Amino acid sequence: MSRESTGYEPRSKPRYEDITVRGLRHRVTWWGEPTAAPILLLHGFMDCGATWQFLADALPRGWSLAAPDWRGFGHSEWASGGYWFPDYFADLEALLDALAPAAPARIIGHSMGANIAQIYAGIRPKRLAWLVNLEGLGLPPSSPQEAPARLGQWLDELHQPPRERRYRSVSELASLLRARNPRLPPDRAEFVARAWTRPVSSAGTAADGEAELLFDPRHRHVNPVLYRREEAQACWARIEAPVLLVTGEASGQAAKPYANADQMGRHIRTLRSVTVAGVGHMMHHEDPAAIAKHIVEFDAEHGARPA
């Protein structure tokens, strides 16, 4: 990275590339030798591609990995018209065409990124070779009766100026991350805090070490389109690629009645699941070695060797 050391020393040196995806500049972080068939790493909400560093360091050194920043996150451009979930399917398709055009793609996704990839795997069932889903369990079912209030809230929020989230320093954000998630080691918390922020500039210089989050604050607006779980499940039912669902024992996500592995397995016939002890939702930040072990075994089982 161009900024000072984070305390965490990457074992696999990242490289950065900017590509245009559907009219927006997207940042892609690479590890390993670039190939025409890298494994794509898709980050979750409020995250960015660079924080896959810990998992990249835990995976075999010969693997080629590419981690894009979704539109409006990290170093990718912001969308002037706001954010609509179907755009992420189109962005993913364009990213696959640009980064992994040669063969069915292998994807590791976390949370929002895993949800995007899992629905896409049913939309384009021939396009994926396998998918590792890290806690991409979807949202609870919605009711049509929720629509008036949701749309009204969205309209109200459009009248409010977006607020940039600022911190007195990167260290302050790192401390907050540690307070929310004590399983995150201090050096990784500092790394994540730097990856998520940029210096607040005044006349081109950093002002007193202040930092602001690298994401479009309009992402905080409520989504005016209700999440229809039945539609997601209809897409899941068309998945042909093997899917590994990885949940964290300490996350609490998989305890929700709509989001457990048994419920998801009713719709995804290729699904297998594993629960990793001692980790929560941000498992790839907390214990990347444990997550990498399951990914390597899953890849070996399905005979897809990275190019």
Side-chain angles (χ1 to χ4, degrees):
M1 291 207 171
S2 60
R3 283 183 263 171
E4 63 192 53
S5 171
T6 65
Y8 179 86
E9 293 296 333
R11 291 190 289 276
S12 181
K13 185 177 180 180
R15 301 181 311 282
Y16 306 102
E17 176 186 12
D18 288 339
I19 64 173
T20 299
V21 176
R22 303 181 60 235
L24 293 178
R25 177 182 47 77
H26 281 60
R27 168 65 54 87
V28 180
T29 303
W30 286 86
W31 297 271
E33 292 300 320
T35 72
I39 296 174
L40 263 65
L41 307 175
L42 304 180
H43 70 79
F45 188 72
M46 298 283 288
D47 205 349
C48 65
T51 67
W52 287 104
Q53 179 70 56
F54 317 125
L55 185 64
D57 286 340
L59 289 169
R61 292 297 294 270
W63 286 22
S64 178
L65 308 170
D69 291 351
W70 292 116
R71 58 172 58 204
F73 292 104
H75 290 277
S76 290
E77 278 191 299
W78 297 2
S80 61
Y83 298 91
W84 305 93
F85 202 74
D87 275 322
Y88 292 115
F89 304 136
D91 288 350
L92 177 54
E93 183 152 281
L95 284 163
L96 290 173
D97 289 345
L99 301 176
R106 295 154 294 157
I107 293 178
I108 303 168
H110 174 247
S111 195
M112 183 187 87
N115 280 307
I116 294 166
Q118 190 161 276
I119 292 174
Y120 181 81
I123 299 170
R124 302 287 200 209
K126 303 295 185 186
R127 194 62 183 87
L128 268 62
W130 55 245
L131 168 65
V132 176
N133 176 337
L134 307 181
E135 292 240 326
L137 297 166
L139 299 175
S142 60
S143 165
Q145 285 67 40
E146 299 173 48
R150 177 76 67 84
L151 289 164
Q153 181 182 349
W154 176 68
L155 289 172
D156 291 342
E157 289 176 348
L158 291 179
H159 293 291
Q160 301 168 8
R163 292 181 299 168
E164 305 283 353
R165 185 66 182 270
R166 293 186 175 182
Y167 300 90
R168 288 191 297 270
S169 65
V170 168
S171 295
E172 180 188 43
L173 175 56
S175 296
L176 287 172
L177 293 175
R178 287 271 294 150
R180 294 172 190 162
N181 184 6
R183 293 179 298 274
L184 186 63
D187 60 338
R188 292 185 202 151
E190 187 81 6
F191 185 99
V192 171
R194 288 190 181 277
W196 285 5
T197 59
R198 62 186 165 206
V200 176
S201 296
S202 176
T205 61
D208 301 325
E210 282 189 305
E212 64 183 4
L213 289 178
L214 268 174
F215 84 102
D216 189 338
R218 291 176 300 163
H219 282 298
R220 290 201 182 96
H221 288 172
V222 69
N223 193 328
V225 179
L226 295 175
Y227 176 81
R228 292 182 281 268
R229 193 171 182 88
E230 297 82 1
E231 294 180 4
Q233 291 168 346
C235 292
W236 299 346
R238 299 181 69 248
I239 293 174
E240 297 178 6
V243 178
L244 175 65
L245 172 65
V246 185
T247 56
E249 182 186 47
S251 80
Q253 292 291 319
K256 297 175 180 177
Y258 64 86
N260 58 64
D262 288 343
Q263 195 274 351
M264 190 172 284
R266 297 189 192 111
H267 305 281
I268 305 174
R269 63 184 181 276
T270 62
L271 184 79
R272 56 173 285 204
S273 64
V274 62
T275 298
V276 179
V279 300
H281 186 62
M282 303 301 290
M283 58 178 68
H284 57 309
H285 294 175
E286 299 166 21
D287 193 349
I291 308 308
K293 175 179 179 292
H294 290 290
I295 293 170
V296 171
E297 291 174 353
F298 181 67
D299 173 74
E301 178 183 350
H302 295 286
R305 298 181 61 84

